[in-house]
Amino acid sequence: MPFTFDDTAQLLGIGRNVMTKKLREMRVLDSTNKPQGRYSGKGYFVVANSSWNHPTKGKMPYQKTLVTDSGLQLLEYLLIKKPEEEKMQREAPITCGTRNITPYQAINALLELANKSCGSSEIAAAVLLSTYNIYEYKLDLGGLCLLDFNYYLSALVVIDLRCRMNTEPHSLIENGGAIFQQLATDWSHLHNNNTH
């Protein structure tokens, strides 16, 4: 039997309003809390017709979104497990040489360097942009030789994150999309205009 949003939120251990807000932000639900896009018509939700009694107009019809068993599993993954996985990935240190560096630390170190006005700033920006969008930005490996050791290790961690874990760096920091869009604007000359 499908679950109401109240029941679903209680089973997941989060507030109903918080749950629906996050699902709208993720584009799972539209502004009227109906499933949308790839989440519509997949058996995750049921939109049921119902009605309520208006004091003067009588029965008023409305549609109510309910969550199926598979939808509950999906929402548990999207709202609970996926954020935990991303947190672990962001905070799990990677051993590089004799140091342990988390991807979060590495990304922020390179962002800080990219926003400075020094000779290594362009290399830091190139590492970040090429791991952000491998099709539109290319990294000159020779540039890595110009980084000091700590930034070099951070670059290796970010490259490893992208190549081995298939994770784009912007996904691990708050407001990552906007930050990396600004980085792309600031370093627009690094864009590869010969992409296919």
Side-chain angles (χ1 to χ4, degrees), residues 34-101:
K34 304 284 185 312
Q36 66 174 346
R38 62 187 174 136
Y39 301 102
S40 178
K42 302 286 187 184
Y44 300 126
F45 301 97
V46 174
V47 179
N49 292 319
S50 191
S51 62
W52 63 282
N53 285 318
H54 188 277
T56 57
K57 297 179 182 177
K59 281 196 172 188
M60 301 293 293
Y62 74 97
Q63 290 188 314
K64 183 176 188 176
T65 302
L66 302 170
V67 180
T68 65
D69 287 333
S70 62
L72 182 62
Q73 290 175 2
L74 171 73
L75 299 189
E76 182 182 23
Y77 174 73
L78 291 176
L79 298 170
I80 310 294
K81 292 180 179 175
K82 186 178 179 191
E84 286 174 0
E85 287 173 5
E86 288 173 348
K87 184 177 183 215
M88 284 176 56
Q89 193 175 49
R90 183 172 61 244
E91 296 176 358
I94 295 172
T95 302
C96 218
T98 57
R99 291 191 53 212
N100 289 327
I101 307 170

Short mmCIF file of all heavy atoms in Angstrom, two decimals, residues 34-101:
data_model
loop_
_atom_site.label_atom_id
_atom_site.label_comp_id
_atom_site.label_asym_id
_atom_site.label_seq_id
_atom_site.Cartn_x
_atom_site.Cartn_y
_atom_site.Cartn_z
N LYS A 34 4.12 16.83 -7.58
CA LYS A 34 3.87 15.69 -8.47
C LYS A 34 5.22 15.21 -9.02
O LYS A 34 6.13 16.01 -9.23
CB LYS A 34 2.98 16.10 -9.65
CG LYS A 34 1.65 16.72 -9.28
CD LYS A 34 0.66 15.69 -8.81
CE LYS A 34 -0.71 16.26 -8.54
NZ LYS A 34 -0.78 17.47 -7.76
N PRO A 35 5.37 13.90 -9.25
CA PRO A 35 6.64 13.40 -9.80
C PRO A 35 6.88 13.99 -11.18
O PRO A 35 5.93 14.22 -11.94
CB PRO A 35 6.44 11.88 -9.86
CG PRO A 35 4.96 11.68 -9.83
CD PRO A 35 4.39 12.83 -9.08
N GLN A 36 8.15 14.24 -11.49
CA GLN A 36 8.46 14.83 -12.79
C GLN A 36 9.67 14.16 -13.41
O GLN A 36 10.42 13.44 -12.75
CB GLN A 36 8.68 16.34 -12.66
CG GLN A 36 9.90 16.73 -11.86
CD GLN A 36 10.14 18.24 -11.89
OE1 GLN A 36 9.57 18.96 -12.70
NE2 GLN A 36 10.99 18.71 -11.00
N GLY A 37 9.85 14.41 -14.69
CA GLY A 37 11.01 13.91 -15.42
C GLY A 37 11.14 12.41 -15.35
O GLY A 37 10.17 11.68 -15.47
N ARG A 38 12.36 11.95 -15.11
CA ARG A 38 12.61 10.50 -15.10
C ARG A 38 11.99 9.79 -13.91
O ARG A 38 12.01 8.56 -13.83
CB ARG A 38 14.11 10.23 -15.15
CG ARG A 38 14.89 10.77 -13.98
CD ARG A 38 16.37 10.60 -14.22
NE ARG A 38 17.14 11.23 -13.19
CZ ARG A 38 18.19 10.69 -12.61
NH1 ARG A 38 18.59 9.50 -12.98
NH2 ARG A 38 18.86 11.33 -11.70
N TYR A 39 11.45 10.54 -12.95
CA TYR A 39 10.83 9.92 -11.78
C TYR A 39 9.32 9.72 -11.98
O TYR A 39 8.66 9.14 -11.14
CB TYR A 39 11.09 10.77 -10.54
CG TYR A 39 12.56 10.94 -10.28
CD1 TYR A 39 13.22 12.12 -10.62
CD2 TYR A 39 13.31 9.90 -9.74
CE1 TYR A 39 14.59 12.26 -10.40
CE2 TYR A 39 14.68 10.03 -9.52
CZ TYR A 39 15.30 11.21 -9.86
OH TYR A 39 16.66 11.35 -9.65
N SER A 40 8.80 10.22 -13.09
CA SER A 40 7.37 10.08 -13.38
C SER A 40 7.12 8.81 -14.18
O SER A 40 7.86 8.49 -15.09
CB SER A 40 6.90 11.31 -14.16
OG SER A 40 5.55 11.19 -14.50
N GLY A 41 6.08 8.08 -13.82
CA GLY A 41 5.70 6.90 -14.58
C GLY A 41 6.65 5.73 -14.42
O GLY A 41 6.66 4.81 -15.24
N LYS A 42 7.46 5.71 -13.37
CA LYS A 42 8.42 4.62 -13.16
C LYS A 42 8.03 3.73 -11.99
O LYS A 42 8.78 2.85 -11.61
CB LYS A 42 9.83 5.19 -12.89
CG LYS A 42 10.35 6.07 -14.00
CD LYS A 42 10.75 5.25 -15.20
CE LYS A 42 11.43 6.16 -16.23
NZ LYS A 42 11.75 5.48 -17.45
N GLY A 43 6.87 3.99 -11.42
CA GLY A 43 6.42 3.16 -10.30
C GLY A 43 6.89 3.62 -8.93
O GLY A 43 6.66 2.94 -7.93
N TYR A 44 7.56 4.78 -8.88
CA TYR A 44 8.02 5.29 -7.59
C TYR A 44 6.90 6.01 -6.84
O TYR A 44 6.89 6.05 -5.61
CB TYR A 44 9.18 6.27 -7.77
CG TYR A 44 10.40 5.69 -8.43
CD1 TYR A 44 10.95 6.28 -9.56
CD2 TYR A 44 11.01 4.55 -7.91
CE1 TYR A 44 12.07 5.75 -10.17
CE2 TYR A 44 12.14 4.01 -8.51
CZ TYR A 44 12.67 4.62 -9.64
OH TYR A 44 13.78 4.09 -10.23
N PHE A 45 6.00 6.60 -7.61
CA PHE A 45 4.92 7.40 -7.03
C PHE A 45 3.59 7.01 -7.67
O PHE A 45 3.56 6.52 -8.80
CB PHE A 45 5.15 8.89 -7.26
CG PHE A 45 6.43 9.41 -6.68
CD1 PHE A 45 7.56 9.53 -7.47
CD2 PHE A 45 6.51 9.78 -5.36
CE1 PHE A 45 8.75 10.02 -6.95
CE2 PHE A 45 7.69 10.27 -4.82
CZ PHE A 45 8.81 10.38 -5.62
N VAL A 46 2.51 7.26 -6.94
CA VAL A 46 1.15 7.11 -7.46
C VAL A 46 0.45 8.43 -7.21
O VAL A 46 0.51 8.97 -6.09
CB VAL A 46 0.39 5.98 -6.72
CG1 VAL A 46 -1.05 5.92 -7.17
CG2 VAL A 46 1.07 4.65 -6.91
N VAL A 47 -0.17 8.98 -8.24
CA VAL A 47 -0.95 10.20 -8.07
C VAL A 47 -2.41 9.79 -8.00
O VAL A 47 -2.98 9.28 -8.97
CB VAL A 47 -0.71 11.21 -9.22
CG1 VAL A 47 -1.56 12.45 -9.02
CG2 VAL A 47 0.78 11.57 -9.31
N ALA A 48 -3.00 9.95 -6.81
CA ALA A 48 -4.37 9.50 -6.57
C ALA A 48 -5.32 10.67 -6.53
O ALA A 48 -4.97 11.77 -6.07
CB ALA A 48 -4.42 8.75 -5.24
N ASN A 49 -6.52 10.45 -7.05
CA ASN A 49 -7.58 11.45 -6.98
C ASN A 49 -8.26 11.35 -5.62
O ASN A 49 -8.56 10.27 -5.14
CB ASN A 49 -8.60 11.24 -8.10
CG ASN A 49 -8.00 11.52 -9.46
OD1 ASN A 49 -7.26 12.47 -9.64
ND2 ASN A 49 -8.31 10.66 -10.43
N SER A 50 -8.49 12.49 -5.02
CA SER A 50 -9.16 12.54 -3.73
C SER A 50 -10.04 13.78 -3.68
O SER A 50 -10.13 14.52 -4.67
CB SER A 50 -8.12 12.53 -2.61
OG SER A 50 -8.74 12.32 -1.37
N SER A 51 -10.65 14.02 -2.55
CA SER A 51 -11.48 15.22 -2.41
C SER A 51 -11.53 15.64 -0.94
O SER A 51 -11.21 14.86 -0.05
CB SER A 51 -12.90 14.97 -2.92
OG SER A 51 -13.51 13.95 -2.17
N TRP A 52 -11.91 16.88 -0.75
CA TRP A 52 -12.10 17.39 0.60
C TRP A 52 -13.38 18.20 0.64
O TRP A 52 -13.86 18.66 -0.40
CB TRP A 52 -10.88 18.22 1.05
CG TRP A 52 -10.65 19.45 0.22
CD1 TRP A 52 -10.09 19.51 -1.01
CD2 TRP A 52 -10.99 20.79 0.57
NE1 TRP A 52 -10.05 20.79 -1.47
CE2 TRP A 52 -10.59 21.61 -0.51
CE3 TRP A 52 -11.57 21.39 1.69
CZ2 TRP A 52 -10.76 23.00 -0.50
CZ3 TRP A 52 -11.73 22.76 1.68
CH2 TRP A 52 -11.32 23.54 0.60
N ASN A 53 -13.96 18.35 1.81
CA ASN A 53 -15.24 19.05 1.96
C ASN A 53 -15.02 20.53 2.23
O ASN A 53 -14.47 20.90 3.26
CB ASN A 53 -16.07 18.43 3.08
CG ASN A 53 -16.67 17.11 2.66
OD1 ASN A 53 -17.15 16.98 1.53
ND2 ASN A 53 -16.65 16.13 3.55
N HIS A 54 -15.46 21.35 1.28
CA HIS A 54 -15.43 22.80 1.44
C HIS A 54 -16.71 23.21 2.17
O HIS A 54 -17.78 22.66 1.90
CB HIS A 54 -15.34 23.47 0.06
CG HIS A 54 -15.12 24.94 0.12
ND1 HIS A 54 -16.15 25.83 0.30
CD2 HIS A 54 -13.99 25.67 0.04
CE1 HIS A 54 -15.67 27.05 0.32
NE2 HIS A 54 -14.35 26.98 0.15
N PRO A 55 -16.65 24.17 3.09
CA PRO A 55 -17.84 24.53 3.87
C PRO A 55 -19.04 24.98 3.03
O PRO A 55 -20.18 24.73 3.39
CB PRO A 55 -17.37 25.67 4.77
CG PRO A 55 -15.90 25.79 4.61
CD PRO A 55 -15.47 24.91 3.50
N THR A 56 -18.78 25.64 1.89
CA THR A 56 -19.91 26.13 1.09
C THR A 56 -20.00 25.46 -0.27
O THR A 56 -21.08 25.33 -0.83
CB THR A 56 -19.79 27.65 0.88
OG1 THR A 56 -18.54 27.95 0.26
CG2 THR A 56 -19.92 28.39 2.20
N LYS A 57 -18.89 25.01 -0.82
CA LYS A 57 -18.90 24.45 -2.17
C LYS A 57 -19.04 22.93 -2.20
O LYS A 57 -19.17 22.34 -3.24
CB LYS A 57 -17.61 24.84 -2.91
CG LYS A 57 -17.47 26.34 -3.10
CD LYS A 57 -16.18 26.65 -3.82
CE LYS A 57 -16.01 28.15 -3.98
NZ LYS A 57 -14.74 28.51 -4.61
N GLY A 58 -18.99 22.31 -1.03
CA GLY A 58 -19.12 20.85 -0.98
C GLY A 58 -17.80 20.16 -1.30
O GLY A 58 -16.72 20.67 -1.00
N LYS A 59 -17.90 19.00 -1.96
CA LYS A 59 -16.69 18.22 -2.26
C LYS A 59 -15.84 18.90 -3.31
O LYS A 59 -16.31 19.26 -4.38
CB LYS A 59 -17.07 16.82 -2.74
CG LYS A 59 -17.46 15.90 -1.62
CD LYS A 59 -17.46 14.46 -2.08
CE LYS A 59 -17.65 13.56 -0.86
NZ LYS A 59 -17.48 12.17 -1.17
N MET A 60 -14.55 19.06 -2.98
CA MET A 60 -13.58 19.69 -3.89
C MET A 60 -12.52 18.65 -4.26
O MET A 60 -11.86 18.10 -3.37
CB MET A 60 -12.90 20.89 -3.22
CG MET A 60 -13.87 21.98 -2.78
SD MET A 60 -14.67 22.80 -4.17
CE MET A 60 -13.29 23.63 -4.93
N PRO A 61 -12.36 18.38 -5.55
CA PRO A 61 -11.38 17.36 -5.95
C PRO A 61 -9.94 17.89 -5.89
O PRO A 61 -9.70 19.08 -6.04
CB PRO A 61 -11.77 17.05 -7.40
CG PRO A 61 -12.42 18.29 -7.88
CD PRO A 61 -13.09 18.92 -6.69
N TYR A 62 -9.01 17.01 -5.62
CA TYR A 62 -7.59 17.33 -5.71
C TYR A 62 -6.80 16.04 -5.94
O TYR A 62 -7.34 14.95 -5.79
CB TYR A 62 -7.10 18.06 -4.45
CG TYR A 62 -6.95 17.20 -3.22
CD1 TYR A 62 -5.71 16.67 -2.86
CD2 TYR A 62 -8.04 16.90 -2.40
CE1 TYR A 62 -5.56 15.87 -1.74
CE2 TYR A 62 -7.90 16.11 -1.27
CZ TYR A 62 -6.67 15.60 -0.94
OH TYR A 62 -6.53 14.82 0.17
N GLN A 63 -5.56 16.19 -6.34
CA GLN A 63 -4.70 15.04 -6.55
C GLN A 63 -3.66 14.98 -5.45
O GLN A 63 -3.11 16.00 -5.04
CB GLN A 63 -4.02 15.11 -7.92
CG GLN A 63 -5.01 14.91 -9.06
CD GLN A 63 -4.29 14.79 -10.39
OE1 GLN A 63 -3.40 15.56 -10.69
NE2 GLN A 63 -4.71 13.82 -11.19
N LYS A 64 -3.38 13.77 -5.01
CA LYS A 64 -2.46 13.54 -3.90
C LYS A 64 -1.38 12.57 -4.37
O LYS A 64 -1.69 11.52 -4.92
CB LYS A 64 -3.25 12.96 -2.73
CG LYS A 64 -2.47 12.72 -1.48
CD LYS A 64 -3.43 12.22 -0.41
CE LYS A 64 -2.73 12.15 0.93
NZ LYS A 64 -3.67 11.78 1.99
N THR A 65 -0.11 12.93 -4.15
CA THR A 65 1.00 12.06 -4.53
C THR A 65 1.31 11.13 -3.37
O THR A 65 1.49 11.57 -2.23
CB THR A 65 2.25 12.89 -4.88
OG1 THR A 65 1.93 13.79 -5.94
CG2 THR A 65 3.39 12.00 -5.32
N LEU A 66 1.37 9.84 -3.68
CA LEU A 66 1.72 8.82 -2.69
C LEU A 66 3.01 8.14 -3.12
O LEU A 66 3.38 8.13 -4.31
CB LEU A 66 0.60 7.78 -2.58
CG LEU A 66 -0.78 8.33 -2.20
CD1 LEU A 66 -1.86 7.26 -2.35
CD2 LEU A 66 -0.76 8.87 -0.76
N VAL A 67 3.72 7.56 -2.17
CA VAL A 67 5.02 6.94 -2.42
C VAL A 67 4.87 5.43 -2.33
O VAL A 67 4.35 4.90 -1.34
CB VAL A 67 6.06 7.43 -1.38
CG1 VAL A 67 7.43 6.80 -1.63
CG2 VAL A 67 6.16 8.95 -1.40
N THR A 68 5.34 4.72 -3.37
CA THR A 68 5.27 3.25 -3.38
C THR A 68 6.46 2.67 -2.60
O THR A 68 7.35 3.41 -2.17
CB THR A 68 5.32 2.72 -4.82
OG1 THR A 68 6.60 3.04 -5.38
CG2 THR A 68 4.20 3.30 -5.68
N ASP A 69 6.49 1.34 -2.46
CA ASP A 69 7.63 0.68 -1.79
C ASP A 69 8.93 0.99 -2.51
O ASP A 69 9.94 1.29 -1.88
CB ASP A 69 7.41 -0.83 -1.74
CG ASP A 69 6.34 -1.23 -0.73
OD1 ASP A 69 6.14 -0.48 0.25
OD2 ASP A 69 5.71 -2.29 -0.92
N SER A 70 8.93 0.91 -3.85
CA SER A 70 10.16 1.20 -4.60
C SER A 70 10.50 2.69 -4.50
O SER A 70 11.67 3.07 -4.48
CB SER A 70 10.05 0.76 -6.06
OG SER A 70 9.02 1.45 -6.72
N GLY A 71 9.47 3.53 -4.41
CA GLY A 71 9.70 4.96 -4.22
C GLY A 71 10.32 5.26 -2.87
O GLY A 71 11.20 6.11 -2.75
N LEU A 72 9.90 4.51 -1.84
CA LEU A 72 10.48 4.68 -0.51
C LEU A 72 11.97 4.33 -0.54
O LEU A 72 12.79 5.03 0.04
CB LEU A 72 9.73 3.81 0.50
CG LEU A 72 10.19 3.92 1.95
CD1 LEU A 72 9.99 5.33 2.49
CD2 LEU A 72 9.43 2.91 2.81
N GLN A 73 12.31 3.25 -1.24
CA GLN A 73 13.73 2.86 -1.38
C GLN A 73 14.51 3.94 -2.12
O GLN A 73 15.63 4.29 -1.74
CB GLN A 73 13.85 1.53 -2.11
CG GLN A 73 13.35 0.36 -1.29
CD GLN A 73 13.37 -0.95 -2.08
OE1 GLN A 73 13.78 -0.99 -3.23
NE2 GLN A 73 12.91 -2.02 -1.44
N LEU A 74 13.91 4.49 -3.18
CA LEU A 74 14.56 5.56 -3.94
C LEU A 74 14.80 6.78 -3.06
O LEU A 74 15.90 7.33 -3.04
CB LEU A 74 13.70 5.96 -5.15
CG LEU A 74 14.17 7.22 -5.89
CD1 LEU A 74 15.43 6.93 -6.69
CD2 LEU A 74 13.07 7.76 -6.78
N LEU A 75 13.78 7.20 -2.32
CA LEU A 75 13.91 8.38 -1.48
C LEU A 75 14.90 8.16 -0.35
O LEU A 75 15.63 9.08 0.02
CB LEU A 75 12.54 8.81 -0.94
CG LEU A 75 11.49 9.19 -1.98
CD1 LEU A 75 10.28 9.79 -1.32
CD2 LEU A 75 12.05 10.12 -3.03
N GLU A 76 14.94 6.94 0.18
CA GLU A 76 15.94 6.64 1.21
C GLU A 76 17.35 6.80 0.65
O GLU A 76 18.23 7.35 1.30
CB GLU A 76 15.75 5.22 1.74
CG GLU A 76 16.73 4.87 2.85
CD GLU A 76 16.57 3.44 3.34
OE1 GLU A 76 16.05 2.58 2.61
OE2 GLU A 76 17.01 3.18 4.48
N TYR A 77 17.53 6.34 -0.60
CA TYR A 77 18.85 6.50 -1.23
C TYR A 77 19.16 7.97 -1.49
O TYR A 77 20.22 8.46 -1.12
CB TYR A 77 18.93 5.71 -2.54
CG TYR A 77 20.23 5.98 -3.26
CD1 TYR A 77 21.42 5.46 -2.79
CD2 TYR A 77 20.27 6.81 -4.37
CE1 TYR A 77 22.63 5.74 -3.41
CE2 TYR A 77 21.46 7.11 -5.00
CZ TYR A 77 22.63 6.56 -4.52
OH TYR A 77 23.82 6.86 -5.14
N LEU A 78 18.22 8.69 -2.12
CA LEU A 78 18.47 10.08 -2.50
C LEU A 78 18.66 11.00 -1.30
O LEU A 78 19.49 11.91 -1.33
CB LEU A 78 17.31 10.61 -3.36
CG LEU A 78 17.16 10.02 -4.76
CD1 LEU A 78 15.91 10.58 -5.42
CD2 LEU A 78 18.39 10.30 -5.61
N LEU A 79 17.87 10.79 -0.25
CA LEU A 79 17.86 11.72 0.87
C LEU A 79 18.76 11.31 2.04
O LEU A 79 19.18 12.16 2.81
CB LEU A 79 16.43 11.90 1.38
CG LEU A 79 15.44 12.50 0.38
CD1 LEU A 79 14.02 12.41 0.91
CD2 LEU A 79 15.80 13.93 0.05
N ILE A 80 19.04 10.02 2.17
CA ILE A 80 19.82 9.55 3.32
C ILE A 80 21.17 8.95 2.89
O ILE A 80 22.23 9.43 3.27
CB ILE A 80 19.03 8.49 4.14
CG1 ILE A 80 17.61 8.97 4.47
CG2 ILE A 80 19.81 8.07 5.38
CD1 ILE A 80 17.52 10.14 5.39
N LYS A 81 21.11 7.91 2.06
CA LYS A 81 22.33 7.17 1.75
C LYS A 81 23.28 7.93 0.83
O LYS A 81 24.48 7.95 1.06
CB LYS A 81 21.98 5.81 1.13
CG LYS A 81 21.31 4.87 2.11
CD LYS A 81 20.98 3.54 1.48
CE LYS A 81 20.32 2.62 2.51
NZ LYS A 81 19.87 1.36 1.92
N LYS A 82 22.74 8.55 -0.22
CA LYS A 82 23.61 9.28 -1.16
C LYS A 82 24.36 10.41 -0.47
O LYS A 82 25.58 10.54 -0.66
CB LYS A 82 22.79 9.79 -2.34
CG LYS A 82 23.65 10.42 -3.43
CD LYS A 82 22.80 10.87 -4.61
CE LYS A 82 23.67 11.52 -5.66
NZ LYS A 82 22.87 12.18 -6.69
N PRO A 83 23.70 11.27 0.33
CA PRO A 83 24.46 12.31 1.04
C PRO A 83 25.53 11.74 1.96
O PRO A 83 26.62 12.30 2.09
CB PRO A 83 23.39 13.07 1.83
CG PRO A 83 22.12 12.84 1.08
CD PRO A 83 22.25 11.45 0.52
N GLU A 84 25.24 10.58 2.59
CA GLU A 84 26.25 9.95 3.46
C GLU A 84 27.44 9.46 2.63
O GLU A 84 28.59 9.61 3.04
CB GLU A 84 25.62 8.78 4.23
CG GLU A 84 24.70 9.23 5.36
CD GLU A 84 23.97 8.08 6.02
OE1 GLU A 84 24.16 6.90 5.62
OE2 GLU A 84 23.18 8.35 6.94
N GLU A 85 27.15 8.86 1.46
CA GLU A 85 28.22 8.39 0.57
C GLU A 85 29.08 9.57 0.12
O GLU A 85 30.31 9.48 0.09
CB GLU A 85 27.63 7.68 -0.65
CG GLU A 85 27.06 6.32 -0.36
CD GLU A 85 26.33 5.72 -1.56
OE1 GLU A 85 26.36 6.33 -2.66
OE2 GLU A 85 25.74 4.64 -1.41
N GLU A 86 28.42 10.67 -0.26
CA GLU A 86 29.16 11.84 -0.73
C GLU A 86 30.00 12.44 0.40
O GLU A 86 31.13 12.87 0.16
CB GLU A 86 28.18 12.89 -1.28
CG GLU A 86 27.59 12.48 -2.61
CD GLU A 86 26.49 13.41 -3.09
OE1 GLU A 86 26.03 14.27 -2.31
OE2 GLU A 86 26.09 13.27 -4.26
N LYS A 87 29.46 12.42 1.61
CA LYS A 87 30.22 12.94 2.76
C LYS A 87 31.45 12.08 3.00
O LYS A 87 32.55 12.58 3.22
CB LYS A 87 29.34 12.97 4.00
CG LYS A 87 30.04 13.59 5.19
CD LYS A 87 29.12 13.67 6.39
CE LYS A 87 29.86 14.37 7.51
NZ LYS A 87 29.55 13.88 8.81
N MET A 88 31.27 10.76 2.96
CA MET A 88 32.40 9.86 3.17
C MET A 88 33.45 10.06 2.08
O MET A 88 34.65 10.08 2.35
CB MET A 88 31.92 8.40 3.19
CG MET A 88 31.23 8.01 4.47
SD MET A 88 30.58 6.33 4.43
CE MET A 88 32.02 5.38 4.04
N GLN A 89 32.98 10.19 0.85
CA GLN A 89 33.91 10.38 -0.27
C GLN A 89 34.66 11.70 -0.13
O GLN A 89 35.85 11.78 -0.38
CB GLN A 89 33.11 10.35 -1.58
CG GLN A 89 33.96 10.23 -2.81
CD GLN A 89 33.10 10.10 -4.04
OE1 GLN A 89 32.17 10.86 -4.25
NE2 GLN A 89 33.41 9.13 -4.87
N ARG A 90 33.95 12.73 0.31
CA ARG A 90 34.54 14.06 0.46
C ARG A 90 35.57 14.07 1.59
O ARG A 90 36.57 14.75 1.52
CB ARG A 90 33.42 15.06 0.73
CG ARG A 90 33.84 16.49 0.84
CD ARG A 90 32.66 17.43 0.91
NE ARG A 90 31.79 17.22 2.04
CZ ARG A 90 30.52 16.83 1.97
NH1 ARG A 90 29.96 16.63 0.82
NH2 ARG A 90 29.79 16.65 3.05
N GLU A 91 35.30 13.28 2.65
CA GLU A 91 36.14 13.34 3.84
C GLU A 91 37.14 12.21 3.94
O GLU A 91 38.01 12.24 4.81
CB GLU A 91 35.24 13.37 5.08
CG GLU A 91 34.39 14.63 5.16
CD GLU A 91 33.44 14.64 6.33
OE1 GLU A 91 33.40 13.65 7.09
OE2 GLU A 91 32.73 15.65 6.49
N ALA A 92 37.04 11.20 3.08
CA ALA A 92 37.97 10.07 3.16
C ALA A 92 39.34 10.49 2.65
O ALA A 92 39.47 10.95 1.52
CB ALA A 92 37.44 8.90 2.33
N PRO A 93 40.36 10.37 3.50
CA PRO A 93 41.69 10.80 3.04
C PRO A 93 42.27 9.84 2.01
O PRO A 93 42.02 8.65 2.03
CB PRO A 93 42.52 10.79 4.33
CG PRO A 93 41.81 9.89 5.26
CD PRO A 93 40.36 9.91 4.87
N ILE A 94 43.02 10.41 1.10
CA ILE A 94 43.75 9.63 0.10
C ILE A 94 45.23 9.79 0.44
O ILE A 94 45.71 10.90 0.65
CB ILE A 94 43.45 10.14 -1.32
CG1 ILE A 94 41.96 9.89 -1.65
CG2 ILE A 94 44.34 9.44 -2.35
CD1 ILE A 94 41.51 10.51 -2.94
N THR A 95 45.94 8.68 0.53
CA THR A 95 47.36 8.74 0.84
C THR A 95 48.12 9.12 -0.42
O THR A 95 48.00 8.47 -1.46
CB THR A 95 47.86 7.39 1.37
OG1 THR A 95 47.09 7.05 2.53
CG2 THR A 95 49.33 7.46 1.75
N CYS A 96 48.85 10.19 -0.30
CA CYS A 96 49.63 10.70 -1.43
C CYS A 96 51.04 10.97 -0.90
O CYS A 96 51.23 11.88 -0.09
CB CYS A 96 48.98 11.99 -1.94
SG CYS A 96 49.01 12.16 -3.69
N GLY A 97 51.98 10.17 -1.34
CA GLY A 97 53.32 10.28 -0.77
C GLY A 97 53.24 9.89 0.70
O GLY A 97 52.82 8.80 1.03
N THR A 98 53.61 10.80 1.57
CA THR A 98 53.56 10.51 3.01
C THR A 98 52.41 11.25 3.68
O THR A 98 52.30 11.25 4.90
CB THR A 98 54.89 10.95 3.67
OG1 THR A 98 55.09 12.34 3.39
CG2 THR A 98 56.04 10.13 3.15
N ARG A 99 51.54 11.87 2.90
CA ARG A 99 50.45 12.67 3.46
C ARG A 99 49.10 12.07 3.14
O ARG A 99 48.92 11.43 2.11
CB ARG A 99 50.51 14.09 2.87
CG ARG A 99 51.71 14.88 3.37
CD ARG A 99 51.62 16.34 3.01
NE ARG A 99 50.36 16.92 3.44
CZ ARG A 99 49.75 17.91 2.78
NH1 ARG A 99 50.28 18.40 1.68
NH2 ARG A 99 48.63 18.40 3.22
N ASN A 100 48.16 12.33 4.02
CA ASN A 100 46.76 11.99 3.79
C ASN A 100 46.01 13.28 3.52
O ASN A 100 46.01 14.19 4.35
CB ASN A 100 46.14 11.29 5.00
CG ASN A 100 46.68 9.89 5.18
OD1 ASN A 100 46.99 9.22 4.20
ND2 ASN A 100 46.78 9.45 6.41
N ILE A 101 45.37 13.36 2.35
CA ILE A 101 44.63 14.55 1.95
C ILE A 101 43.23 14.13 1.56
O ILE A 101 43.06 13.20 0.77
CB ILE A 101 45.30 15.24 0.74
CG1 ILE A 101 46.77 15.52 1.01
CG2 ILE A 101 44.58 16.53 0.37
CD1 ILE A 101 47.55 15.97 -0.21
#
